[in-house]
Amino acid sequence: TDDIVLGYPSIADLWSSQNPHYLGVMVGRVANRIAHGRLEVPIPTTETATTTRETCGLHRNNGPHHLHGGRVGFSRQLWEAE
């Protein structure tokens, strides 16, 4: 079997780096930036059958923006496959 994943030689090397280019990581939840670390989420209301919007603040880990799930995104999890 050939190792074809662009990343780090070992998991220890990955965890000890900042991995600024997100090499070899699992992308999830957010695969890009969320501007200004906030987004509006539609919330349906049953009483009036309309939708309201709520602003959610997220961790800002890329200047003023939220990038790739924040500081504890999928890229910072240890995954096991079966």
Side-chain angles (χ1 to χ4, degrees):
T1 305
D2 293 329
D3 180 0
I4 61 167
V5 176
L6 181 60
Y8 291 85
S10 72
I11 194 70
D13 292 330
L14 172 63
W15 291 134
S16 66
S17 77
Q18 291 297 313
N19 197 10
H21 303 292
Y22 291 85
L23 299 175
V25 301
M26 170 72 83
V27 176
R29 295 185 296 196
V30 180
N32 203 346
R33 286 172 188 80
I34 295 178
H36 309 293
R38 61 181 184 265
L39 60 101
E40 287 188 3
V41 179
I43 301 176
T45 57
T46 56
E47 302 85 36
T48 60
T50 61
T51 302
T52 61
R53 299 183 84 68
E54 183 174 310
T55 300
C56 296
L58 304 169
H59 173 75
R60 296 175 182 180
N61 63 323
N62 182 248
H65 310 296
H66 176 88
L67 179 65
H68 298 318
R71 70 174 168 246
V72 190
F74 281 13
S75 64
R76 302 306 289 172
Q77 306 299 316
L78 183 59
W79 298 90
E80 288 186 31
E82 294 182 12

